[in-house]
Amino acid sequence: MKKVTNLLMFICFAVALTSCSTDNIEDHIDDVNALVIPEAKPIEIEILELINQHRISIGLNALDSHMLIKGQAFTHTDYMVDKNVVNHDNFFSRKSYLVNNANAIKVSENVAYGFSSASSVVNAWLNSEGHRSNIEGDFTDFEISAELGENNKWYFTNIFIKK
């Protein structure tokens, strides 16, 4: 029984930790018409601080917060909460919006689900090669959105851009 539980936990962890990073795929989707930029939650502020602390500790620049990124992250996190699934759906729409409106030349994102604290989600990302690559990547700006789903579990979208 313990092996089955551990296997299920591993599968959930693996699914929750998917990463998407693109520099070379053509953008195909039009800009988003309305952008909601919510006020930052304490968990979001802590995640941004932890990521910047990590970057500084390994000799990288701290990233700047960017409200257009916040709006895109929120829109996607809200979408994941509505669908009750963690995913990168419509990533190219977010990327296109940030290229066209925030002068981004590179866009990446990390998503996650189910972590209960800022440190737990950041540690999980840092222990995943693809997610760590985004966190430690050549970026200038970032933002995060964390939203509680109906099941009282957090959904996260962390977007990075280079200008």
Side-chain angles (χ1 to χ4, degrees), residues 6-161:
N6 287 341
L7 178 61
L8 287 173
M9 298 256 318
F10 175 76
I11 291 170
C12 288
F13 181 74
V15 168
L17 290 176
T18 56
S19 174
C20 185
S21 176
T22 62
D23 307 84
N24 55 5
I25 298 177
E26 295 295 315
D27 297 324
H28 300 289
I29 309 218
D30 293 332
D31 291 345
V32 175
N33 293 326
L35 185 65
V36 176
I37 304 173
E39 190 172 323
K41 297 174 188 67
I43 192 171
E44 294 169 335
I45 294 167
E46 188 176 354
I47 290 168
L48 297 175
E49 289 172 351
L50 289 169
I51 289 172
N52 268 338
Q53 287 171 6
H54 173 75
R55 288 178 61 88
I56 291 166
S57 77
I58 61 171
L60 298 173
N61 62 304
L63 301 175
D64 294 324
S65 177
H66 195 295
M67 287 298 102
L68 290 179
I69 301 170
K70 175 74 169 181
Q72 291 299 303
F74 171 75
T75 299
H76 183 61
T77 306
D78 193 46
Y79 171 85
M80 291 191 302
V81 168
D82 285 346
K83 297 287 185 184
N84 196 30
V85 64
V86 66
N87 61 53
H88 292 284
D89 291 358
N90 306 310
F91 172 75
F92 297 106
S93 177
R94 292 185 293 287
K95 178 183 177 186
S96 177
Y97 181 89
L98 292 168
V99 165
N100 292 323
N101 295 285
N103 300 317
I105 58 173
K106 179 179 176 183
V107 181
S108 291
E109 76 179 10
N110 290 340
V111 296
Y113 163 78
F115 296 94
S116 60
S117 69
S119 60
S120 65
V121 71
V122 171
N123 286 334
W125 282 334
L126 289 173
N127 287 314
S128 163
E129 185 178 337
H131 295 95
R132 184 178 60 251
S133 176
N134 287 341
I135 289 171
E136 297 175 355
D138 182 22
F139 297 105
T140 56
D141 303 86
F142 73 151
E143 255 303 341
I144 183 81
S145 172
E147 299 296 326
L148 278 173
E150 287 182 17
N151 54 5
N152 223 22
K153 301 273 186 181
W154 287 100
Y155 289 79
F156 303 90
T157 304
N158 186 198
I159 301 177
F160 303 86
I161 72 168

